[in-house]
Amino acid sequence: MSSVIASTRLSVLDRSRVREGHTAAEALRDTVALAREAERLGYHRFWVAEHHGVPGVAGSAPTVLAAAVAGATRRIRVGTGGVMLPNHRPLVVAEQFGVLESLFPGRIDMGLGRSVGFTDGVRRALGRDKEDAEDFEAQLAELLGWFRGTSPTGVHARPAEGLTVPPFVLAMGEGAAVAARAGLPMVIGDLRDRERMLRGIERYRAGFRPSEWSAEPYVVVSGTIAVADSPEAARRLLLPEAWSMARARTRGSFPPLPPAEEVEGRPMTPKERDLYESGLAGHLAGTEEQVAEALESLIGATDAQEVLVTTSTYDREALLDSYRRLARVTGREPAAVPA
């Protein structure tokens, strides 16, 4: 194992993907179980995501799910990847994270994104539209102000005010510049478009302004990593998500993940087939040796301080095995977790 990999933090983002033949409740419990295993394996943090009205994703309330994860673990940092700030009032977000930090002091992260709903119907249900994403920078400043007691309203966010919950910006496109101006750590993906990712990182570092939250740029690169005992087995882990993503981009909704062995035989339109093949490319997938080499190259190219793994698949045991193998690649040793 290289010193580059050993010195880089490794974390997990789980999106609570629903599997065919299984319920959303099972997906949420799977997320909590994965968090326990991630802690045992020595991962640095465990984040959950926010999606609304999506049949294949159970994680619609990230701060609620983060509370369940934090309650089921002891040491691993817990947070969101992320709360989509344009969907919420900043005061309410501050209150939610204030409660989390009060219950689990020193373990909570506040990952924040600028997306607004997945479809027009979801945006209408939330009372938002696409233009609300343009106000993200102001919403972010307001949110951070609630923790510092600087709101001009005279209102105080309880129990958030005076607490320090590390904020991160999920940065695709304009988000990198927002993170830089605010002086916040940045999470950027995905691994399939390396040139775009590298441009975003360069823009972030060039424009970074030190803040009370972060004195220096902090880069987290995010994407899918699949590790198995053969390249073919690692590729099989990628099939369900690639199929689901292809369907989402042609039909407007993420379906539940199908078993990998069924995917290749399913009918696809030419456009879906192209999207499916594209969805299988660019990830870090292979044996432990192959992934170690690819991971070292990724960290070397980006100079990232942390890698956030976002792998989803149908086969839960294969997914757990992948995370165990990845922990070995990075030299992390399973820790004894107190009962």
Side-chain angles (χ1 to χ4, degrees):
M1 180 191 57
S2 74
S3 60
V4 172
I5 294 177
S7 62
T8 304
R9 287 171 169 168
L10 196 67
S11 298
V12 177
L13 166 61
D14 190 67
R15 292 184 293 134
S16 304
R17 295 289 270 116
V18 180
R19 298 176 291 152
E20 285 187 4
H22 298 265
T23 66
E26 287 178 275
L28 295 171
R29 288 193 289 269
D30 284 343
T31 292
V32 175
L34 179 58
R36 291 195 191 100
E37 181 67 0
E39 179 173 74
R40 188 186 74 83
L41 293 169
Y43 286 87
H44 181 63
R45 62 180 104 241
F46 189 96
W47 283 3
V48 296
E50 175 181 344
H51 296 273
H52 298 283
V54 181
V57 183
S60 57
T63 53
V64 176
L65 185 51
V69 168
T73 54
R74 294 293 178 267
R75 294 184 304 277
I76 195 169
R77 296 195 64 86
V78 176
T80 56
V83 165
M84 297 300 137
L85 195 51
N87 290 339
H88 311 280
R89 293 301 309 164
L91 170 61
V92 175
V93 175
E95 291 172 334
Q96 290 171 345
F97 279 98
V99 169
L100 283 170
E101 175 64 20
S102 298
L103 290 171
F104 308 101
R107 293 181 57 207
I108 301 300
D109 301 320
M110 185 167 58
L112 306 162
R114 64 191 295 270
S115 297
V116 186
F118 184 64
T119 65
D120 289 339
V122 169
R123 287 189 288 272
R124 286 196 300 272
L126 291 170
R128 299 291 188 266
D129 55 43
K130 289 183 178 179
E131 286 67 36
D132 286 307
E134 303 306 315
D135 295 329
F136 175 69
E137 191 162 10
Q139 296 160 351
L140 178 63
E142 180 184 343
L143 171 62
L144 299 181
W146 287 115
F147 286 91
R148 293 297 175 256
T150 58
S151 172
T153 64
V155 175
H156 298 273
R158 309 294 188 197
E161 188 173 311
L163 298 179
T164 298
V165 181
F168 296 73
V169 172
L170 277 61
M172 291 300 290
E174 177 60 23
V178 172
R181 287 192 292 267
L184 300 180
M186 176 186 72
V187 182
I188 189 166
D190 62 38
L191 304 181
R192 290 174 297 175
D193 192 342
R194 297 291 179 89
E195 291 304 315
R196 182 185 181 195
M197 184 177 67
L198 290 171
R199 287 195 301 270
I201 292 172
E202 182 180 0
R203 185 164 59 249
Y204 167 70
R205 289 196 173 112
F208 185 84
R209 301 172 184 171
S211 72
E212 63 179 299
W213 301 96
S214 185
E216 298 177 345
Y218 189 92
V219 174
V220 183
V221 295
S222 176
T224 295
I225 303 178
V227 196
D229 60 4
S230 70
E232 295 75 21
R235 182 181 183 275
R236 194 158 52 246
L237 282 166
L238 306 176
L239 301 184
E241 183 74 8
W243 179 86
S244 183
M245 183 68 73
R247 299 278 287 194
R249 290 181 177 174
T250 54
R251 310 192 185 201
S253 181
F254 279 109
L257 296 175
E261 58 270 18
E262 296 181 11
V263 169
E264 293 283 16
R266 292 193 171 187
M268 300 183 207
T269 66
K271 183 176 182 180
E272 285 171 342
R273 176 63 65 176
D274 287 345
L275 289 168
Y276 169 72
E277 295 295 342
S278 175
L280 293 173
H283 305 294
L284 273 59
T287 64
E288 292 176 31
E289 294 76 14
Q290 290 169 328
V291 167
E293 182 177 348
L295 190 58
E296 183 172 8
S297 175
L298 171 68
I299 297 167
T302 60
D303 200 26
Q305 287 95 335
E306 187 169 342
V307 176
L308 181 68
V309 186
T310 63
T311 310
S312 298
T313 195
Y314 179 90
D315 187 333
R316 295 299 298 183
E317 186 50 49
L319 179 65
L320 291 170
D321 182 64
S322 177
Y323 276 115
R324 291 170 190 140
R325 290 175 181 272
L326 182 58
R328 286 203 296 267
V329 164
T330 56
R332 283 144 181 89
E333 296 295 332
V337 179

